[in-house]
Amino acid sequence: DVQLVESGGGSVQAGGSLRLSCAASGCTYNRNCMAWFRQAPGKEREGVARIATGSGNTYYADSVKGRFTISQDNAKNTVYLQMNSLKPEDTAMYYCAARGPYCYTKLSVRDFTYWGQGTQVTVS
């Protein structure tokens, strides 16, 4: 089993930055692929970024390329999402997700097995 706990959300003005953290525990095999998704009110959950924890390979949704960076600290079993140049349309609940044993090329909700409880990001 895998447990995921997000933190770091909050309210920020447009153009500002936030860093989200996802602390992971449990079976390493089942969290070789870590990702961030988000869901705005009335909208479907969408993929934001993902990282293959073994190779460090990353993938970003077009909407966040150049503004968001996903990274990891293996010693702390933590994945981060650095969000810069935030826009009001980035407002959403952000979820950390995990799957194993590998990442697919793109991000799809249905491909991820484990989910955190979410952390709210509000950009005004």
Side-chain angles (χ1 to χ4, degrees):
D1 203 3
V2 172
Q3 295 77 42
L4 304 171
V5 179
E6 303 100 330
S7 61
S11 297
V12 64
Q13 291 188 337
S17 299
L18 282 174
R19 188 178 79 158
L20 306 183
S21 299
C22 174
S25 60
C27 179
T28 303
Y29 181 83
N30 288 334
R31 50 184 171 93
N32 286 340
C33 185
M34 300 287 292
W36 288 96
F37 288 77
R38 66 186 181 186
Q39 188 167 19
K43 295 189 176 181
E44 293 186 353
R45 193 169 298 190
E46 64 175 0
V48 175
R50 66 105 172 113
I51 185 166
T53 59
S55 67
N57 179 269
T58 58
Y59 172 88
Y60 296 92
D62 288 343
S63 59
V64 305
K65 278 181 183 176
R67 300 189 299 123
F68 291 11
T69 302
I70 189 170
S71 63
Q72 59 182 343
D73 184 334
N74 289 336
K76 296 182 178 180
N77 291 323
T78 300
V79 171
Y80 303 98
L81 185 69
Q82 178 66 44
M83 306 185 294
N84 298 329
S85 302
L86 283 161
K87 306 175 181 180
E89 51 263 45
D90 294 318
T91 295
M93 185 72 78
Y94 282 70
Y95 296 92
C96 180
R99 61 160 280 117
Y102 49 80
C103 288
Y104 290 118
T105 302
K106 294 188 177 182
L107 285 167
S108 176
V109 172
R110 63 185 180 186
D111 292 332
F112 284 80
T113 308
Y114 303 98
W115 294 84
Q117 82 287 352
T119 186
Q120 178 69 37
V121 172
T122 303
V123 185
S124 59

